[in-house]
Each structure stands twice: as structure tokens, then as C-alpha cells.
Amino acid sequence: MDLQFKLKDVFEVDLYYGFYDIYVLGGFDVQVNDDFFVEILDLKTNESILLREESFKTRDYKKGNRAVKFFSFQITEKSKYKISVHNYEDMTVFYSMLGSNPFSILNLLKRLYGIKRKQLLLDEIEILIN
């Protein structure tokens, strides 16, 4: 089951047993503040599911979009869950990885010629759980 939604969306959904991954869609370079998180709240027990943050953020294509894997989690009991994203206001998503290293020669040339990386607006960024 794939759930794809905008950052501002809050919804309730039935989740079944299994392992899930949370991706940020739209680009290959994602920068967030330390307070950014996705809350998955079990509506029966009113407890949050523990998310494991990926230390190495893998890049891939999901649903035809560039994606960065951010979190993973496990559901051990089928239930109805409330899903919401918090502290995303400072999130920055760049379409490409090029130029993310400030010491690269390519980045220096881009800065010299005034070329900027394509940055997505907050309304364009989506979250995918699969």
C-alpha cells in the first residue's frame, strides 16, 4: 500500500502489519531542521509509532518522482493511524544533488556564473509511505 500526500495534509488510515519507508518526494537533496518529523499516532492506544531515521539518505525514483528515504518504521498491530508532518516550514528540497558540496569546482563555477539549483516550493513537496 502506498500513501502519497502533501506536507500540510493530516489524515487517518488503516495500516497493516509490516515494514514501511517514508520518502520525501520532489528532489535528490533535502535539507531539514533537527525538529522535522512525521508523526504516526495509533488512534486505539494514543501512542506514537517509533520512527528510525536513516543515517544514509538513499536517493531513488518513486512513483516517477525523485525521492529521498528519510525514515522507516514497523507496524506490529493492525489499527487506524493518524499521520501528520511537523516542523517542515524550514524544509528545503533541491531537484538535483549538483552543487550541494560547497568545495566542488562545479559549485564554484556555478556561483561564478550565477547559476542556481532548482528549489521546490513547500506546496510542491510530497511525502510517500510505502
Side-chain angles (χ1 to χ4, degrees):
M1 168 179 27
D2 290 341
L3 303 169
Q4 188 171 340
F5 56 95
K6 297 283 186 182
L7 291 174
K8 296 177 183 177
D9 293 347
V10 176
F11 60 95
E12 296 177 4
V13 65
D14 288 322
L15 291 178
Y16 300 94
Y17 309 101
F19 293 93
Y20 294 87
D21 296 318
I22 298 177
Y23 293 87
V24 175
L25 299 179
F28 278 160
D29 188 9
V30 178
Q31 299 168 2
V32 295
N33 61 24
D34 293 337
D35 297 336
F36 170 77
F37 69 99
V38 177
E39 182 179 40
I40 302 173
L41 183 69
D42 187 337
L43 293 177
K44 280 186 195 175
T45 63
N46 208 26
E47 293 180 9
S48 291
I49 299 297
L50 179 65
L51 300 180
R52 183 174 61 87
E53 186 171 354
E54 298 295 320
S55 57
F56 178 70
K57 310 278 193 267
T58 57
R59 279 97 175 126
D60 199 357
Y61 284 91
K62 297 290 182 184
K63 300 269 191 179
N65 294 309
R66 292 173 182 232
V68 176
K69 183 177 175 181
F70 245 81
F71 301 108
S72 59
F73 65 96
Q74 180 180 3
I75 297 293
T76 57
E77 184 177 326
K78 177 189 175 289
S79 184
K80 185 175 242 11
Y81 294 89
K82 178 180 165 188
I83 300 175
S84 57
V85 181
H86 300 274
N87 302 324
Y88 59 83
E89 295 82 13
D90 296 336
M91 176 184 269
T92 307
V93 176
F94 294 102
Y95 186 72
S96 70
M97 286 285 297
L98 290 177
S100 62
N101 180 358
F103 303 109
S104 73
I105 293 175
L106 180 60
N107 192 32
L108 293 173
L109 290 173
K110 283 182 160 186
R111 208 174 311 141
L112 181 66
Y113 290 106
I115 300 171
K116 296 188 183 226
R117 293 192 293 165
K118 179 182 175 189
Q119 180 178 343
L120 276 69
L121 301 173
L122 283 178
D123 293 340
E124 298 174 318
I125 302 169
E126 293 183 321
I127 301 292
L128 173 68
I129 298 177
N130 75 350

